[in-house]
């Protein structure tokens, strides 16, 4: 099987088999070839051992665990929507794929009554945008396309911390998901460094320090907790745990993080609270 990406040859797979059907698992190949936040067109041409063409498979792939044939008809929302979603800040990422131009309706609700609607027009293709929400009062907002809505509840906890932290990740559909952690926050800093001794010449040349840094790494470890959740709100953390690309925004810069520990604990009165511990490093 010869695999082509955007009409350019990229890989050949081969297997020996007898009588039974043969299958190729190319998910790893697609993950390595397809950049994040893109959708690529692939063609797989099948041959037998006599170089006779047996057929062609056409499909599109996105960086994620799921591959949809032809186009992403069933998963146009590139966002996990099997649990309630929340936003603390007045902006949310918007991930969507469409093979034609479309209109996004942003509907604001108070007491289940729509009080405002804003529309945005998009061209066909993969969309990864930031939707800036109104700073007016609302209970929840629906992002609606073609009659289907993605709902975000406005999160203003009573007992919140000044260290609200939004964690982003590429979800299993290849879109961008996020969660705003608004409860307990702790941070620690570790310094890891290597040093060397300067030569006598350098020492007497001007700088009087005998020892200098060869390599220095600053590592931050952060533990954050969510607000109190219902069981229906916790499904999104399964997707977070399985993501291979997770980041936070600090000082207007994207910092990719490694999650060291994640838990969703049940509290009294059958409520839940999620907690994650992660770290990232800066080389100095």
């Amino acid at each position: 099987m010869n695999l082509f990406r955007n009409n350019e040859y990229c890989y050949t797979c081969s297997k020996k088999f007898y009588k039974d059907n043969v299958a190729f698992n190319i998910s790893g190949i697609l993950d390595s070839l397809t950049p994040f936040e893109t959708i690529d067109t692939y063609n797989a041409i099948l041959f037998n051992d006599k170089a006779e063409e047996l057929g062609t498979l056409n499909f599109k792939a996105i960086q994620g665990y799921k591959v949809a044939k032809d186009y992403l008809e069933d998963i146009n929302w590139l966002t996990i929507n099997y649990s309630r979603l929340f936003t603390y800040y007045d902006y949310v990422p918007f991930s969507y794929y469409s093979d034609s131009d479309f209109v996004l309706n942003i509907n604001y609700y108070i007491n289940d009554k729509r009080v405002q609607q804003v529309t945005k027009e998009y061209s066909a293709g993969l969309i990864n945008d930031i939707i800036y929400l109104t700073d007016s009062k609302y209970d929840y907002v629906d992002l609606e396309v073609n009659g289907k809505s993605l709902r975000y509840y406005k999160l203003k906890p009573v007992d919140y911390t000044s260290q609200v932290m939004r964690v982003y990740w590429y979800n299993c559909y290849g879109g961008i998901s996020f969660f705003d952690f608004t409860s307990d926050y702790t941070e620690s800093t570790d310094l890891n460094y290597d040093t060397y001794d300067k030569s006598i010449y350098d020492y007497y040349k001007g700088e009087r320090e005998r020892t200098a840094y060869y390599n220095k790494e600053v590592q931050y470890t952060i533990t954050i907790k969510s607000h109190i959740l219902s069981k229906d709100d916790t499904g999104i953390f399964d997707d977070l745990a399985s993501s291979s690309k997770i980041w936070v925004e600090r000082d207007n810069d994207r910092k990719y993080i490694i999650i060291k520990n994640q838990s969703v604990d049940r509290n009294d009165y059958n409520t839940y609270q999620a907690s994650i511990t992660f770290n990232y490093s800066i080389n100095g």
Side-chain angles (χ1 to χ4, degrees):
M1 181 185 73
N2 289 339
L3 186 64
F4 295 82
R5 171 174 169 256
N6 298 331
N7 295 320
E8 293 186 2
Y9 168 80
C10 57
Y11 207 81
T12 296
C13 302
S14 62
K15 277 188 176 182
K16 293 183 178 180
F17 72 101
Y18 177 71
K19 288 187 177 180
D20 295 331
N21 295 330
V22 63
F24 294 97
N25 183 357
I26 60 173
S27 58
I29 301 173
L30 298 179
D31 278 347
S32 64
L33 294 176
T34 308
F36 285 97
E37 298 188 29
T38 63
I39 291 181
D40 284 340
T41 301
Y42 287 88
N43 310 101
I45 303 178
L46 305 178
F47 297 89
N48 60 19
D49 57 352
K50 299 178 182 180
E52 298 172 338
E53 185 173 333
L54 303 179
T56 301
L57 301 176
N58 302 311
F59 57 92
K60 294 181 184 292
I62 190 170
Q63 187 67 245
Y65 312 137
K66 302 178 184 293
V67 175
K69 291 183 179 179
D70 298 329
Y71 58 98
L72 303 179
E73 180 179 27
D74 296 329
I75 54 174
N76 270 340
W77 286 110
L78 300 180
T79 306
I80 298 301
N81 195 22
Y82 57 82
S83 64
R84 290 201 306 169
L85 304 176
F86 300 89
T87 179
Y88 180 86
Y89 297 109
D90 288 321
Y91 59 92
V92 296
F94 171 60
S95 296
Y96 193 80
Y97 172 80
S98 177
D99 58 348
S100 60
D101 297 349
F102 67 95
V103 174
L104 169 67
N105 295 317
I106 307 170
N107 300 313
Y108 298 89
Y109 290 85
I110 297 178
N111 296 327
D112 294 329
K113 180 180 179 181
R114 191 176 72 183
V115 294
Q116 185 180 0
Q117 183 182 72
V118 179
T119 61
K120 292 190 69 173
E121 296 182 356
Y122 290 95
S123 300
L126 175 63
I127 305 299
N128 276 304
D129 196 7
I130 298 295
I131 304 299
Y132 291 93
L133 306 175
T134 179
D135 56 2
S136 302
K137 181 181 178 182
Y138 61 90
D139 296 331
Y140 58 85
V141 58
D142 282 355
L143 307 184
E144 178 191 357
V145 178
N146 296 328
K148 296 182 179 180
S149 295
L150 193 66
R151 177 167 296 177
Y152 291 96
Y153 290 89
K154 184 63 177 176
L155 181 58
K156 286 292 185 181
V158 176
D159 183 19
Y160 71 95
T161 175
S162 59
Q163 292 284 355
V164 177
M165 178 164 285
R166 174 170 287 185
V167 176
Y168 300 87
W169 67 93
Y170 289 113
N171 60 47
C172 67
Y173 293 139
I176 298 175
S177 291
F178 73 93
F179 191 88
D180 291 336
F181 290 85
T182 59
S183 190
D184 296 342
Y185 176 103
T186 59
E187 179 175 339
S188 63
T189 304
D190 293 320
L191 298 177
N192 300 305
Y193 55 87
D194 299 310
T195 61
Y196 70 96
D197 289 338
K198 296 180 181 178
S199 68
I200 297 296
Y201 175 77
D202 289 336
Y203 178 69
Y204 283 104
K205 186 178 180 180
E207 296 181 1
R208 306 295 292 177
E209 295 82 3
R210 184 75 171 92
T211 303
Y213 285 113
Y214 173 72
N215 179 57
K216 181 168 66 172
E217 181 184 58
V218 182
Q219 180 170 279
Y220 298 94
T221 300
I222 297 174
T223 299
I224 48 180
K225 291 185 178 183
S226 72
H227 59 287
I228 300 301
L229 305 164
S230 70
K231 185 173 179 56
D232 292 337
D233 304 332
T234 62
I236 195 170
F237 297 105
D238 295 334
D239 191 67
L240 170 60
S242 60
S243 178
S244 61
K245 210 74 167 177
I246 309 169
W247 69 94
V248 296
E249 300 284 350
R250 306 206 80 179
D251 301 323
N252 296 319
D253 190 21
R254 180 180 290 194
K255 306 292 187 184
Y256 288 102
I257 65 174
I258 297 176
I259 293 184
K260 309 298 290 185
N261 185 56
Q262 176 177 320
S263 64
V264 179
D265 300 319
R266 192 173 88 170
N267 303 320
D268 296 335
Y269 308 109
N270 203 30
T271 58
Y272 295 79
Q273 189 171 35
S275 173
I276 64 171
T277 298
F278 65 87
N279 59 34
Y280 69 92
S281 60
I282 300 176
N283 291 326

